[in-house]
Amino acid sequence: MYVPPAAPDARAPISDEQLDLKLKRVAIDTNLENVVYLNRDCLIYRIAGFQALSKVEVVAGEHRITATLNVVDDAAIISPDEIGLSEDAFKRFGVEAGALARVRHAEKPASVGALFRKINGERLEKDDYHAIVRDITGGHYSKIELTAFLIATSNGELDRDEIYFLTDAMVASGRRLEWQEHMVVDKHCIGGIPGNRTSMLVVPIVAAHGLLCPKTSSRAITSPAGTADTMEVLANVNLAQDRIASIVREHRACLAWGGTADLSPADDVMISVERPLSLDSTTQMIASILSKKIAAGSTHLLLDIPIGPSAKVKTVPDAQRLRKLFEYVASRMHLKLEVVITDGRQPIGQGIGPMLEARDVMRVLENDPRAPQDLRHKSLNLAGRMIEFDPDVRGGDGYSIARDILESGRALHRMHAIIEAQGAKGFKHDNFMLGRLSHEVVAERDGMVLGIDNLQIAKIARLAGAPKVPNAGIDIMHKLGDRVKRGDTLYIIYAEFPSDLLFAMQQCEKASGYTIGDDTEIPHSYLEF
């Protein structure tokens, strides 16, 4: 039976041996935050005056790490002679379990003064942002301090030069790829449109044309699937930087997850806070997108800004304001940027969720008659605009070149090569298993589909399990302008687990995401495109 030790005599000297604690790896995922665990009866904890959530520094030889302290009362988790590190902290610390380590009060981050000035509404300079981002990347900010910074720099709180300073600092926080080519192209969408998997079509098309396109993509934050989630159905996306470089040099492109390449790592830490808080500020979006692309070595970027009633950007004037901010920062960072404003009134494609979206992509590449035509058309438009970055291509010819590459099968051949190089998963889009449970959502009246709520459709698909469950999601049967009869299937929900299907169905009962009405009820937003 474990008996807590008697309270230490504050007057008694402490030997060096008493300061040493055995390092223990605690199997807890703290999502990019360094956390250290001490038993409440640990001699050092009791004498040093630590408190839960204190900032401490753990030291073992030349290895040091700053972390947030959690206090444990169960000796089976951490005994009084041990110091525990969370999974993220243990990997960063780089010391073997069982080694001796010491813990002490941490000094405040060097940039904390700049942080407080920003919280008070002051304008910061370039050096201030570099100092803050260095401390974020180094793990010196707690989640509380990081949240304060993100809120202080949210919409309307930074001028355009400060957005540039933040972007520049985020690029400097990690590695920067060099390709030794005068033109490196990329494409990005600001998000918010379910099923918008154009990158997985654009990349093999432009690579087949000969352009270099090292596509490092993100995973879903609030959507049912990101490009990396969908590509992971087809191939491995967790690639080291040297492997990415090898694939790109051989095949002119890749479709990998950016989280393993140490590109703008401060962005990954910020996203870990933005995700649970559903923060999605314009400031952070600009800095996040541009820092990742520049760090990946891009010289030319095509940016897709969808607009619509339930998109991130609601109106054309809003899109134009965002465009000017992106163009200003990109210009300061010596990145050639072209912005395309697209139709974001409804999901793109038919499937919503990793496996369903992978099916749509492969159908387009194979020129399958079942392929969603809106996904095909938008991808060709974007690929055509990217091909026109090529100085040897005359303006206006890009679309026809892209269409020829797709229809000839060259894009499919290039996609197969990329999949094999990254490590094929054996996915067969004409023979795969969707979630074993399903539910059809039907029209409640006759009429025309006048509106589809992107946010609601995305929420239902996520409740069904996407993207964590790759074969979960939504299969859409009707789009804007379609005429339906009462009882017609609008979309099918697929789920793998009964609880997920129940949650999705309950959300559908609140709102299906579809507006059905008469021709006389067509909203103004329907006519903008």
Side-chain angles (χ1 to χ4, degrees):
M1 177 178 177
Y2 170 70
V3 179
D9 184 349
R11 297 167 298 177
I14 300 175
S15 67
D16 280 350
E17 289 77 12
Q18 289 177 299
L19 292 174
D20 290 328
L21 300 170
K22 288 183 292 185
L23 187 65
K24 181 176 180 179
R25 182 176 187 171
V26 180
I28 297 178
D29 180 359
T30 52
N31 196 15
L32 298 181
E33 182 178 19
N34 296 333
V35 177
V36 62
Y37 304 91
L38 287 180
N39 190 289
R40 192 180 301 276
D41 293 318
C42 173
L43 179 64
I44 303 304
Y45 171 75
R46 299 168 76 181
I47 289 178
F50 293 133
Q51 292 182 339
L53 301 185
S54 295
K55 292 294 288 297
V56 298
E57 185 179 42
V58 183
V59 182
E62 298 299 317
H63 296 267
R64 284 170 169 72
I65 191 169
T66 304
T68 301
L69 175 64
N70 282 7
V71 181
V72 178
D73 289 308
D74 187 346
I77 300 174
I78 292 292
S79 65
D81 65 343
E82 292 179 318
I83 180 170
L85 290 180
S86 63
E87 288 284 3
D88 284 299
F90 186 85
K91 291 175 185 176
R92 288 186 180 184
F93 197 40
V95 176
E96 293 292 326
L100 297 179
R102 296 186 179 186
V103 59
R104 61 195 183 199
H105 287 282
E107 297 182 3
K108 289 185 177 181
S111 64
V112 73
L115 170 63
F116 287 143
R117 295 204 310 275
K118 192 65 221 177
I119 291 172
N120 291 329
E122 294 184 31
R123 183 183 186 278
L124 300 184
E125 297 299 329
K126 187 174 183 178
D127 288 346
D128 296 320
Y129 283 102
H130 276 259
I132 289 172
V133 171
R134 275 197 302 271
D135 280 335
I136 290 172
T137 306
H140 303 310
Y141 273 25
S142 67
K143 287 290 178 74
I144 295 172
E145 292 164 327
L146 185 53
T147 301
F149 173 70
L150 291 172
I151 292 174
T153 56
S154 61
N155 288 339
E157 299 301 327
L158 299 189
D159 61 35
R160 64 180 191 172
D161 284 320
E162 284 186 285
I163 300 174
Y164 158 62
F165 297 154
L166 176 59
T167 306
D168 187 67
M170 289 170 67
V171 173
S173 73
R175 304 174 74 175
R176 188 165 178 173
L177 303 183
E178 299 289 345
W179 299 103
Q180 281 75 49
E181 296 206 16
H182 74 282
M183 181 179 294
V184 180
V185 302
D186 204 345
K187 169 262 168 192
H188 192 86
C189 176
I190 67 167
I193 309 300
N196 193 25
R197 287 286 74 80
T198 55
S199 291
M200 291 178 64
L201 293 162
V202 168
V203 169
I205 291 173
V206 302
H209 177 71
L211 298 178
L212 192 78
C213 187
K215 180 66 176 170
T216 54
S217 303
S218 61
R219 295 189 182 276
I221 298 176
T222 58
S223 70
T227 298
D229 301 304
T230 304
M231 184 63 183
E232 195 167 38
V233 172
L234 306 175
N236 179 30
V237 297
N238 296 330
L239 304 174
Q241 184 177 335
D242 59 348
R243 184 63 188 142
I244 290 175
S246 174
I247 292 170
V248 171
R249 290 194 174 95
E250 183 177 358
H251 302 289
R252 305 297 290 173
C254 69
L255 282 155
W257 178 47
T260 55
D262 195 31
L263 305 177
S264 185
D267 183 49
D268 299 321
V269 180
M270 293 179 192
I271 286 174
S272 72
V273 171
E274 292 168 341
R275 181 184 287 111
L277 294 177
S278 296
L279 291 175
D280 195 15
S281 74
T282 297
T283 298
Q284 296 298 334
M285 176 174 62
I286 294 171
S288 172
I289 292 172
L290 295 184
S291 67
K292 286 287 192 186
K293 300 308 174 187
I294 293 166
S298 298
T299 62
H300 294 65
L301 174 64
L302 184 73
L303 184 69
D304 175 15
I305 301 181
I307 63 169
S310 56
K312 286 184 178 180
V313 179
K314 312 298 182 188
T315 66
V316 172
D318 288 342
Q320 295 290 9
R321 283 191 288 272
L322 181 59
R323 175 183 189 160
K324 288 179 181 178
L325 276 175
F326 265 108
E327 288 175 339
Y328 176 79
V329 177
S331 174
R332 293 289 302 270
M333 299 295 294
H334 308 292
L335 174 70
K336 181 175 176 56
L337 176 70
E338 183 172 348
V339 176
V340 181
I341 297 173
T342 60
D343 183 357
R345 296 169 300 158
Q346 62 179 334
I348 301 294
Q350 183 178 341
I352 311 296
M355 193 168 285
L356 286 158
E357 294 176 24
R359 175 204 65 189
D360 286 356
V361 166
M362 296 310 296
R363 282 180 175 175
V364 172
L365 286 170
E366 293 183 350
N367 296 294
D368 190 312
R370 296 170 295 175
Q373 293 305 300
D374 58 346
L375 178 61
R376 180 183 188 275
H377 180 65
K378 181 173 182 178
S379 299
L380 287 175
N381 271 323
L382 295 175
R385 297 289 285 269
M386 288 182 70
I387 288 171
E388 289 174 12
F389 284 142
D390 184 346
D392 293 330
V393 174
R394 187 172 56 188
D397 286 350
Y399 183 89
S400 61
I401 294 172
R403 184 180 59 195
D404 178 66
I405 291 171
L406 178 64
E407 292 179 350
S408 69
R410 283 183 285 156
L412 176 64
H413 179 75
R414 186 57 57 100
M415 185 62 155
H416 281 316
I418 293 170
I419 289 171
E420 289 300 322
Q422 292 188 197
K425 294 288 188 70
F427 171 79
K428 303 293 183 183
H429 70 278
D430 55 351
N431 183 23
F432 66 97
M433 294 294 293
L434 288 173
R436 58 192 176 90
L437 306 173
S438 64
H439 172 72
E440 294 188 9
V441 177
V442 301
E444 296 182 349
R445 55 164 291 185
D446 295 351
M448 178 189 288
V449 178
L450 301 180
I452 302 178
D453 188 328
N454 288 308
L455 296 174
Q456 183 69 355
I457 292 296
K459 187 172 186 178
I460 293 167
R462 284 183 67 88
L463 288 171
K468 293 294 184 182
V469 181
N471 60 349
I474 287 175
D475 214 7
I476 293 176
M477 301 298 156
H478 288 285
K479 291 290 194 74
L480 289 178
D482 288 356
R483 295 194 178 276
V484 296
K485 295 184 178 296
R486 186 174 183 226
D488 284 353
T489 301
L490 299 175
Y491 56 87
I492 304 171
I493 303 170
Y494 289 97
E496 190 65 25
F497 305 102
S499 58
D500 290 346
L501 184 63
L502 177 61
F503 292 145
M505 290 171 61
Q506 289 174 340
Q507 189 65 32
C508 286
E509 290 175 3
K510 296 178 183 178
S512 70
Y514 272 64
T515 301
I516 298 172
D518 300 324
D519 295 9
T520 56
E521 302 175 274
I522 295 176
H524 174 70
S525 62
Y526 187 91
L527 303 174
E528 285 186 338
F529 283 87

